[in-house]
Amino acid sequence: MSTAPNDYLLHLADNAVVLGQRDAEWCGHGPILEEDLALANVSLDLIGQARLLYQLAATRIGNGATEDTLAYFRDDTEFRNYTLVELPNHGALVGYAASDRDYATTIVRNFLYSALMVLVWDALQKSPDADLAAIAAKSLKEARYHLHHAADWVVKFGDGTEESHARAQAALDHLFPYTEEFWTPSAAEDAAIASGAATDVRTLRAAWDAIVADTLAEATLKRPDVRGYVPEGKHGRHSEHLSYLLGEMQGLARAHPGATW
Amino acid sequence: MNTPALKDWPLWEVFVRSKQGLEHKHCGSLHAADAAQALHMARDVYTRRQEGVSIWVVPSASITASNPDDKGELFDPAADKIYRHPTFYEIPEEVGHM
């Protein structure tokens, strides 16, 4: 049986836990109660995916590794997530910004990420790594819902009022360049492809482009023209935002190692 | 939380059918911009603990409700007509559970 390299499992897990943490920042602050619950559900799905992947990786790594040591006791440079998912829930702040949380940014990010993950999980549910395939099959259903939820809002924002359109387009312009990272495999991804346990994400690009094009057309939003800089979060080279996110996420576990409640 | 959406978005009544249930039961209401979104939100608000396998949403404005003041004339006359209850019938053994 070919098994996926642990670094690849951590890449998938780190994406999920970091985005889960970002989305969770809305908990109790959602634009309306119903949406607050909806986004918290997305967040809990992502954290659930991360737990399964960390548990699998911990079993394979051995040496006392647990899901908690992997999530709470690795530093930012050891995290293998896309830079996209660690960015704050806002773009460049302007003087009239009413808050440092912008729902368009959160929604557009969830859209770009879940459009990729429905394809990745769909491919991985056929992986010869049976444990990973099982996690992928479960995660696929959740990712489909996340995509549906986010795409609905992208259309409502884009094809909504003048302000909602402008904010959705601004979020898209801000975030789209970070999707370049999807298409440049890291060493962990190359190893996963070579093991036969994972699909080359580059083969999913046309399908991702089609999902994005369909939704943006309906939303009357313009796909930004992107070229140049490719972020390297999955190589462990992150933006300045990840260490603050981890500071908040890991602080309690590090202050009280091994605590239970 | 900001409240403008609560003014602008219509109210929807949510009905959920549980796995064992044969009928959809009213379980609450929520605000949503349109029917499709109301379904999504109903899923997130009312079926998070595996309560259901099917959801209906209905615009609250589409429901015509009886006036509580009419309770007397509508419902009280039924109070003394116990013969309408099927408890007076002997059910033959072979019919089984009804």
Side-chain angles (χ1 to χ4, degrees), chain A residues 28 30-38 41 145 148 152-153 156, chain B residues 1-2 5-6 9 30-31 33-34 37 40-41 43-45 48:
Chain A
I32 63 157
L33 177 64
E34 289 85 345
E35 192 55 26
D36 193 280
L37 284 169
N41 278 349
Y145 187 79
H148 209 144
D152 263 15
W153 275 115
K156 281 190 167 65
Chain B
M1 279 184 212
N2 298 325
L6 300 182
W9 290 2
L30 50 75
H31 291 272
D34 57 36
Q37 189 184 58
H40 268 164
M41 288 179 160
R43 178 261 196 194
D44 285 322
V45 176
R48 293 185 302 152

Side-chain angles (χ1 to χ4, degrees), chain A residues 101-119:
Chain A
R101 275 186 296 266
D102 172 43
Y103 212 61
T105 303
T106 299
I107 287 296
V108 167
R109 187 220 324 262
N110 282 1
F111 169 68
L112 297 171
Y113 175 74
S114 50
L116 176 72
M117 292 316 291
V118 292
L119 303 169

Side-chain angles (χ1 to χ4, degrees), chain B residues 8-96:
Chain B
D8 297 342
W9 290 2
L11 192 64
W12 304 76
E13 300 301 322
V14 180
F15 300 82
V16 171
R17 182 163 72 77
S18 67
K19 208 175 275 179
Q20 290 84 18
L22 295 173
E23 78 286 6
H24 289 71
K25 284 187 182 158
H26 184 245
C27 60
S29 57
L30 50 75
H31 291 272
D34 57 36
Q37 189 184 58
L39 265 185
H40 268 164
M41 288 179 160
R43 178 261 196 194
D44 285 322
V45 176
Y46 292 111
T47 68
R48 293 185 302 152
R49 301 180 186 89
Q50 296 187 294
E51 292 93 335
V53 292
S54 171
I55 304 172
W56 290 349
V57 290
V58 179
S60 305
S62 300
I63 292 179
T64 308
S66 61
N67 186 339
D69 293 344
D70 296 340
K71 215 172 75 181
E73 64 180 86
L74 287 178
F75 308 118
D76 288 352
D80 61 350
K81 300 182 176 63
I82 52 169
Y83 46 82
R84 288 177 179 166
H85 293 269
T87 49
F88 294 95
Y89 298 92
E90 296 282 333
I91 299 175
E93 196 97 332
E94 54 269 31
V95 173

